[in-house]
Amino acid sequence: AQKVTQAQTEISVVEKEDVTLDCVYETRDTTYYLFWYKQPPSGELVFLIRRNSFDEQNEISGRYSWNFQKSTSSFNFTITASQVVDSAVYFCALSEWGAQKLVFGQGTRLTINP
Amino acid sequence: SAVISQKPSRDICQRGTSLTIQCQVDSQVTMMFWYRQQPGQSLTLIATANQGSEATYESGFVIDKFPISRPNLTFSTLTVSNMSPEDSSIYLCSVGRGQYTEAFFGQGTRLTVV
């Protein structure tokens, strides 16, 4: 069975600090996708990134970066120079190759204080 | 990307009644999914809506409680039947468009049962 664990329930930092959100996953599949979504207070899910299991390259998009390590089954997300607008709940998710239905972690509530 | 419209965006319902949530996509998609997010919790897959056949339900969810229709490749409905306060949640529709794309989500329906 697939499982995603986000051990950090809540994180609170001061604006401009860097913050890393942890995600550890379990799957028996050799091919799979990993995702990160942002859920602001309005409730919608905003897609941030998809990574397939073949690609272990780290990715950077502006202030966001992702570190995928297959050896430790982790897909961590770092926000550099955090801003108040980054305050949201962040979900890590996993899907089978081609299945598109997702298994979500419990989410991490990130609060950026001015 | 896919544009997904969910209706209603929110509702307050009396216990014992039923609510039908609509999900409309701007183009044909193969896969449509319904998720539930209970207050302060993560997202849990309710079922996969299959076009032309019965929905496929996940463990813990049954058709009598959550009947689903999918009359074509751009539309689906989820009904929450005989509601109780425990059904108060955000219900989200999701679609996938091929195995190489991210899953797209509607803005969600915030349901409160009183």
Side-chain angles (χ1 to χ4, degrees):
Chain A
Q2 298 180 326
K3 184 178 179 182
V4 177
T5 302
Q6 295 178 254
Q8 304 151 307
T9 305
E10 294 190 28
I11 299 175
S12 181
V13 300
V14 176
E15 200 172 18
K16 297 184 183 177
E17 286 186 18
D18 298 347
V19 58
T20 295
L21 310 181
D22 297 334
C23 173
V24 175
Y25 63 92
E26 297 175 29
T27 180
R28 294 180 180 175
D29 297 328
T30 55
T31 55
Y32 48 88
Y33 282 115
L34 294 163
F35 300 78
W36 275 95
Y37 288 88
K38 174 182 180 180
Q39 188 177 44
S42 53
E44 79 271 23
L45 277 179
V46 178
F47 167 81
L48 296 178
I49 190 172
R50 182 196 76 247
R51 171 67 69 215
N52 71 56
S53 54
F54 295 143
D55 185 1
E56 288 195 67
Q57 284 187 345
N58 292 332
E59 180 154 342
I60 299 175
S61 176
R63 297 184 297 108
Y64 295 170
S65 63
W66 291 268
N67 181 266
F68 175 32
Q69 291 194 343
K70 220 169 174 179
S71 61
T72 57
S73 297
S74 65
F75 186 43
N76 297 335
F77 172 34
T78 297
I79 301 175
T80 303
S82 60
Q83 300 176 1
V84 173
V85 293
D86 295 327
S87 297
V89 179
Y90 290 85
F91 290 98
C92 180
L94 169 71
S95 78
E96 298 171 3
W97 189 262
Q100 295 177 355
K101 60 180 181 179
L102 304 175
V103 173
F104 283 85
Q106 286 304 107
T108 297
R109 181 176 298 278
L110 176 63
T111 302
I112 310 298
N113 300 298
Chain B
S1 65
V3 177
I4 305 170
S5 299
Q6 249 185 266
K7 294 180 181 180
S9 58
R10 60 176 62 229
D11 208 342
I12 301 174
C13 300
Q14 297 290 323
R15 69 176 66 200
T17 62
S18 298
L19 176 72
T20 295
I21 302 168
Q22 298 180 0
C23 178
Q24 178 75 54
V25 191
D26 65 341
S27 58
Q28 293 185 348
V29 294
T30 307
M31 313 290 283
M32 295 184 77
F33 307 94
W34 288 98
Y35 289 83
R36 180 178 73 180
Q37 185 179 22
Q38 295 177 300
Q41 303 297 313
S42 185
L43 286 81
T44 301
L45 180 65
I46 298 172
T48 302
N50 302 307
Q51 196 268 329
S53 64
E54 272 195 7
T56 305
Y57 289 84
E58 299 297 309
S59 176
F61 297 96
V62 295
I63 188 171
D64 290 346
K65 177 66 176 177
F66 298 102
I68 288 171
S69 78
R70 178 137 186 231
N72 56 52
L73 293 175
T74 63
F75 186 78
S76 177
T77 66
L78 168 74
T79 299
V80 186
S81 303
N82 188 24
M83 290 184 286
S84 66
E86 292 70 35
D87 294 319
S88 298
S89 299
I90 298 175
Y91 292 86
L92 296 107
C93 170
S94 168
V95 305
R97 188 181 285 164
Q99 63 180 348
Y100 301 112
T101 66
E102 69 271 21
F104 304 100
F105 285 83
Q107 78 275 26
T109 296
R110 194 179 294 267
L111 170 63
T112 302
V113 183
V114 298

